[in-house]
């Protein structure tokens, strides 16, 4: 026991030391922030000399956002002119090249940041699960996840290099300005990146060595550290785009005022962080699910099929779990945008970019439809779920009606001339009074139906045994039925009451949906306690079509991410840095919706073709060791860490 | 189609030639299966190159045919997936993704296409070094919101002058004098008007005697214009005073004061336009500035701002202000009497007791609008004033721009307030 | 009108819950009609309370149309 304790203390100390080293950059940067923010400190002697000379003209500037005064510590934002000096170019639109480089880096980066979070969750589940076989299964799954992300990790780094190279080549003045503003934290960024790589490799290669007892816990804590570093990295990267959209910490001419925290902590930084973390997770889940779908479809044996069916299910569940809070984070971001600049919000929701939000609404609908479709197909792998099959057609009907209502724009499609005259597809001011209540009804019907599908899926192969099951079933039916009634009633009611009351109706509508989500899944859980199993879930006995639903989900999610990123970026219109540095390149206009859609498609397909290629390479490696592949089949409890 | 084929062959002939070689090789070996696969491969290659050619032709073009490429690729991959079973899953998944992307792209292209125009040219406005024509153009922008907008009814810029003044001969101008022919009129009528009391400000009978203590009166045309901008109450053209003051007070705000706050250089631009558009030689920039310096004390001169949000998108009120300020900023008070709003004593338009009036108007047989409730009626009256014109008041007097110039929040506040105003009842609280 | 008073719906909810317990005591819950009635009472009351209070939270009146 004493020996055990000694080991424990050593491990904890080692872990502490590791953490301290890894967090050192943050600590040092905080220090620098406290002392008024790392103006590159010149040697004291030189500074003193400088002071003497400049004492008379220490220039002060006022922060454009925080309104504090600070000593000017940087050059003003360069005024660019159209020409090859500020905007060197190939015989192609520079902006599109940068768009491409940025988007690819972002896709891979998101994936690489998201997967360790899943690993953490799944590894933790494996550690706490009492069922030994299940624990092994989870552990293997987490290992599989990190294996996928490791290949993508190096690709992310390469793409990051390409991004910087593209940026530097095509927009030297802009890049120069941004990097001069962020100079005080650049070294932290680099150090964090090194720390991330180090931790990731230790985490991956240490998996085998650290699989028992306390060492496993340390391994698990390492995944926490890995994620902390990853998140800080992402937040630093976000500070760049936050600064570009809602600059702070500089004066009106864009001169740095010495406080780097202001530059980082801009108006939109935190909403962006939260939105991106959630988005990354949903995206990462989608990619892993697609990987599982690929392996499922190309599987040769039943064991393989079973394993990848299960993997896809878990990844998909994680993706959807993070998809649900995403709109709320989006709402917060949007509200902050409106608070920061009303005009920016109007451009987004009611002006130039409004059609893109119509596309987004469609995408949300598609995501939910595919989720439902997957759940229905998943009923097929359970014995006893047949009783629900015949009701599915009604759900389809409800979903389709809800979807159609949801995507109907509340203004007519107009000719470009009419559009121009109106300055957007909606009246710039009255558009806000458009009847949203019907649309809200549509989307809430869709989500409620998804909840219903999920409840059916949960009880697919089970028969409740509680004495009050009859009442439970009737109550559940009544609750769902009246929830639909309430949602639709509120949607119709909205037409009869004035706009200022109507806007409030969406809240009880959402509350109705959430009531279904929480109460009904909880009630279902209680009812299924000690339920009779009609048969085990037969993993792998799912139709191939279900896997296409997963792929649809993953593709649609990737597309939506590209779309929202485009919207976020293009809302700056003709500014490099909003209201500080103008875009004077020949590409300062906003593209048409169609061009954007084509570009997004191209980016999405490039990402998927490249990552499918990576997956395929992975299977080539596995084929060389068919014996091992067999040993990996679930049920046989695989030994981890042979495949690399 | 033919062109597409030609350009596809132009790009892909090399690969196709290699494949053809392979085909011949398989034939000579008698390997029928292999030959067939190569043939499929050739077909697929051709289709892929057609897709690429289509992409290339349409990348920047207006035509919306780009998604066709994606569908072509989808068809290709599915065809290949049929015959190349070892990578079939990969091809099918890839193909399916292309199909999804094609659908989404197609959807994006099917929607109405709006391209955001180029940004307004950035120029640090250096009013003092402009030619008088440039200066006049800037003036037109300030008054009407854009060059060439002066002949458009309802065009309005940050100066907001056309809210009350007409500028073209024959344009409606009941709230304030039509400014057509102003330079001439100033010299021949205004300065010589006995009520103007040129040189003897103490004798004036108006609400203000002088723009500032000791400023005196105007002696030249330009000084007259400057004085009118800086001190509307120093002289009121007969018939244009605030109703009930016997033309002693003007409804016009001091232009250099908030909410309009034009700077001196901007005023110079405005004035220059007034001369130039009538073909008259304007005074020099310096002279105009001097004329304003005579009437506006140094401390009262607004600094020239960077007109970031200037132009037609600028809002008069964003809805964060209390409702009385919204009424003031939107200049409603100039023409309407609104119970409970200080300064709202205008008589050009009806008294706004909409809690009482609106229900009656909606049921008026002459009412052609679509509103069914009081708030809807008020909103309609603000956004499209001509839907219903109250008897005894002229149509087209009220500007039709408030729908664009007020934020949704501001409109809502106005509607909320006005719908609570009832005849004979105490006015509602200002919020 | 009494329906515009949230207390009415709270009372209804309470009645529903009481009925639920009574039914449990008397083994009535497996009677379809009884179960349906109890469910409807509880759920209708619940949704009205949700609608009412979530509108009131925003300073709005859910019963706007009925009060006129």
């Amino acid at each position: 026991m004493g020996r055990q304790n000694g080991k424990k203390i050593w491990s904890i100390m080692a872990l502490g030391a590791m953490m301290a080293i890894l967090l050192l950059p943050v600590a040092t940067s905080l220090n620098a922030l406290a002392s008024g923010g790392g103006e590159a400190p010149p040697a004291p002697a030189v500074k003193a000399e400088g002071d003497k000379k400049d004492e008379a003209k220490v220039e002060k500037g006022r922060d454009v956002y925080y309104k504090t005064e600070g000593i000017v510590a940087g050059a003003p934002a360069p005024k660019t002119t159209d020409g090859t000096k500020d905007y060197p170019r190939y015989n192609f639109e520079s902006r599109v090249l940068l768009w491409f480089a940025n988007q690819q880096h972002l896709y891979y980066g998101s994936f690489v940041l998201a997967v360790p979070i899943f690993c953490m969750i799944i590894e933790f589940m494996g550690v706490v699960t009492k069922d030994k076989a299940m624990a092994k299964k989870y552990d293997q799954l987490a290992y599989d996840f990190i294996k996928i992300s490791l290949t993508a990790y190096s690709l992310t780094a390469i793409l990051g290099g390409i991004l910087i190279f593209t940026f530097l080549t095509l927009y030297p003045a802009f890049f120069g300005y941004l990097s001069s503003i962020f100079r005080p934290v650049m070294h932290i960024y680099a150090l964090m990146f090194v720390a991330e790589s180090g931790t990731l490799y230790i985490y991956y290669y240490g998996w085998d060595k650290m699989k028992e007892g306390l060492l496993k816990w340390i391994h698990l804590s390492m995944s926490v550290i890995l994620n902390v570093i990853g998140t800080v990295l992402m937040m630093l990267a976000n500070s760049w785009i936050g600064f570009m959209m809602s600059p702070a910490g500089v004066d009106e001419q864009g001169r740095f005022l010495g406080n780097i925290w202001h530059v980082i902590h801009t108006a939109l930084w935190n909403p962006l962080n939260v939105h991106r973390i959630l988005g990354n997770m949903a995206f990462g889940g989608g990619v892993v699910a697609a990987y599982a779908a690929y392996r499922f479809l190309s599987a040769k044996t039943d064991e393989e099929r079973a394993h990848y069916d299960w993997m896809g299910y878990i990844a998909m569940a994680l993706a959807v779990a993070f998809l649900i809070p995403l709109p709320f984070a989006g709402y917060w971001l949007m509200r902050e945008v409106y608070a920061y600049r009303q005009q920016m919000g109007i451009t987004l929701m009611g002006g130039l970019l409004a059609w893109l939000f119509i596309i987004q609404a469609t995408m949300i609908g598609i995501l939910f439809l595919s989720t439902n479709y997957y759940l229905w197909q998943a009923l097929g792998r359970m014995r006893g779920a047949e009783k629900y099959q015949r009701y599915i057609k009604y759900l389809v009907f409800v979903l389709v009606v809800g979807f159609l209502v949801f995507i109907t724009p509340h203004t007519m499609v107009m000719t470009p001339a009419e559009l121009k005259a109106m300055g957007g597809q909606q009246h710039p001011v009255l558009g806000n009074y458009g009847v949203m209540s019907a649309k809200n009804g549509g989307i809430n019907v869709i989500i409620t139906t998804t909840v219903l599908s999920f409840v059916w899926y949960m009880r697919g192969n089970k028969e409740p045994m509680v004495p009050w099951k009859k009442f439970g079933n009737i109550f559940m039916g009544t609750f769902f039925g009246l929830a639909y009634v309430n949602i639709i009633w509120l949607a119709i009611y909205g037409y009869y009451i004035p706009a200022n009351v109507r806007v409030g109706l969406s809240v009880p509508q959402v509350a109705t949906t959430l009531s279904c989500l929480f109460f009904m899944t909880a009630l279902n859980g209680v009812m299924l306690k000690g339920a009779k199993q009609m048969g085990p879930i037969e993993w792998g006995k799912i139709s191939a079509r279900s896997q296409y639903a997963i792929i649809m989900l993953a593709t649609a999610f990737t597309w939506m991410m590209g779309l929202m990123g485009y919207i976020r970026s293009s809302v700056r219109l003709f500014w490099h840095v909003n209201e500080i540095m103008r875009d004077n390149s020949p590409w300062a206009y906003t593209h048409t919706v169609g061009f954007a859609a084509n570009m997004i498609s191209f980016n999405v397909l490039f990402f998927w073709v490249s990552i499918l290629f990576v997956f395929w390479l992975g299977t080539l490696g596995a084929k060389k060791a068919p014996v091992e592949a067999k040993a990996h089949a679930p049920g046989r409890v695989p030994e981890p860490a042979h495949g690399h | 189609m033919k062109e597409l084929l030609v350009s596809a062959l132009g790009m892909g002939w090399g690969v196709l030639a290699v494949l053809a070689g392979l085909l011949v090789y398989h034939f000579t070996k008698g390997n029928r299966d292999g030959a067939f696969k190569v043939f499929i491969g050739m077909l697929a290659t051709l289709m892929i190159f057609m897709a690429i050619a289509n992409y290339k032709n349409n990348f920047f073009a207006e035509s919306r045919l780009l998604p066709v490429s994606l569908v072509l690729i989808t068809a290709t991959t599915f065809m290949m997936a049929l015959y190349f079973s070892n990578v079939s899953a990969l091809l099918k998944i890839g193909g399916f993704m292309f199909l999804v992307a094609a659908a989404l792209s197609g959807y994006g292209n099917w929607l109405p296409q709006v391209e955001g125009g180029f940004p307004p040219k950035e120029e640090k406005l250096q009013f003092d070094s402009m030619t008088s024509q440039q200066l006049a153009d800037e003036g037109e922008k300030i008054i009407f919101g854009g060059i060439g907008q002066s002949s458009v009814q309802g065009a309005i810029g940050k100066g907001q002058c056309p809210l009350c003044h007409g500028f073209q001969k024959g344009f409606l101008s009941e709230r304030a004098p039509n400014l057509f022919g102003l330079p001439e009129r100033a010299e021949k009528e205004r300065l010589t008007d006995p009520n103007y009391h040129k040189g003897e400000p103490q004798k004036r009978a108006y609400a203000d005697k002088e723009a500032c203590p000791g400023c005196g009166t105007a002696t030249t045309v330009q000084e007259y214009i400057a004085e009118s901008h800086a001190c509307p109450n120093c002289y009121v053209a007969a018939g244009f005073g605030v109703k009930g003051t016997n033309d002693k007070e003007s409804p016009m705000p001091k232009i250099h004061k908030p909410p309009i706050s034009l700077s001196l250089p901007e005023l110079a631009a405005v004035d220059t336009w007034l001369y130039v558009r009538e073909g008259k030689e304007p005074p020099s920039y310096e002279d105009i500035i001097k004329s304003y310096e005579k009437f506006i004390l140094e401390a009262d001169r607004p600094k020239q701002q960077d007109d970031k949000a200037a132009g037609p998108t600028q809002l008069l009120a964003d809805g964060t202000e209390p409702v009385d300020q919204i009424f003031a900023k939107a200049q409603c008070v100039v023409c309407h009497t609104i119970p409970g709003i200080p300064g709202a004593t205008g008589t050009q338009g009806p008294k706004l007791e909409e809690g009482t009036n609106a229900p009656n108007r909606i049921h008026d047989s002459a009412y052609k609008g679509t509103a069914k409730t009081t708030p809807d009626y008020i909103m309609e009256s603000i956004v499209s004033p001509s839907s219903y014109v109250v008897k005894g008041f002229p149509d087209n007097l009220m500007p039709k721009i408030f729908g664009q110039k007020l934020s949704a929040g501001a409109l809502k506040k106005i509607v909320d307030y006005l719908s609570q105003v009832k005849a004979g009842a105490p006015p509602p609280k200002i919020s | 009108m009494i329906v515009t008073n949230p207390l009415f719906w709270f009372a209804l909810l309470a009645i529903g819950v009481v009925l639920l317990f009574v039914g449990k005591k008397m083994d009535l819950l497996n009677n379809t009609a009884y179960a349906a009635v109890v469910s409807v009472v509880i759920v209708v009351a619940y949704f009205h309370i949700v609608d009412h209070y979530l509108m009131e939270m925003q300073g709005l009146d859910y019963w706007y149309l009925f009060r006129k």
Side-chain angles (χ1 to χ4, degrees), chain B residues 114 308 328:
Chain B
V114 199
K308 271 173 201 146

Side-chain angles (χ1 to χ4, degrees), chain C residues 32-48:
Chain C
T32 309
Y34 187 83
V37 169
V38 172
S39 303
V40 168
V41 167
I42 293 179
V43 176
V44 165
Y46 170 75
F47 279 130
H48 274 102

Side-chain angles (χ1 to χ4, degrees), chain A residues 71-136:
Chain A
I71 297 163
V72 171
K79 297 228 180 301
T80 55
T81 47
D82 183 15
T84 47
K85 187 175 142 290
D86 288 331
Y87 299 106
R89 64 200 70 163
Y90 301 105
N91 192 16
F92 202 72
E93 188 175 327
S94 298
R95 186 172 47 159
V96 169
L97 293 175
L98 192 61
W99 185 352
F100 172 72
N102 231 325
Q103 188 69 69
Q104 294 305 324
H105 177 57
L106 208 108
Y107 279 146
Y108 275 95
S110 303
F111 177 59
V112 168
L113 286 177
V115 169
I117 301 181
F118 293 148
C119 278
M120 184 175 75
I121 298 171
I122 297 172
E123 196 183 0
F124 181 74
M125 277 160 72
V127 170
V128 296
T129 304
K130 298 218 174 64
D131 183 348
K132 271 272 160 73
M134 214 50 201
K136 286 260 178 184

Side-chain angles (χ1 to χ4, degrees), chain A residues 93 294 355 359 362-363 429 432-433 500 548 551 555 559 574 582 586 589-590 592 594-595 597-598 601 605 608, chain B residues 59-60 66 90 92-93 96-98 101 104-105 107 109 112-116 118-120 122 403 406 408 411-412:
Chain A
E93 188 175 327
Y294 161 59
W355 278 114
I359 300 183
T362 316
M363 313 277 312
V429 174
N432 300 331
Y433 282 98
N500 55 347
Y548 285 101
I551 290 162
T555 317
W559 212 91
F574 49 86
R582 271 179 78 108
Y589 62 97
T590 305
T592 57
F595 183 85
N598 289 333
S601 285
L605 291 172
W608 278 108
Chain B
F59 191 70
F60 282 113
L66 264 182
L90 209 60
K92 276 190 208 157
I93 292 174
F96 183 66
M97 283 175 166
F98 271 92
L104 291 168
S105 251
Y107 181 45
N109 279 289
Q113 304 294 303
V114 199
E115 189 172 85
F118 273 97
E122 183 192 34
L406 292 169
L411 282 170
K412 183 176 172 316

Side-chain angles (χ1 to χ4, degrees), chain A residues 616-637:
Chain A
W616 180 67
L617 285 180
T619 57
L620 280 191
K623 265 179 201 156
K624 277 187 190 152
V627 189
E628 276 175 73
K630 242 187 180 164
H632 276 233
R636 282 279 225 66
V637 184

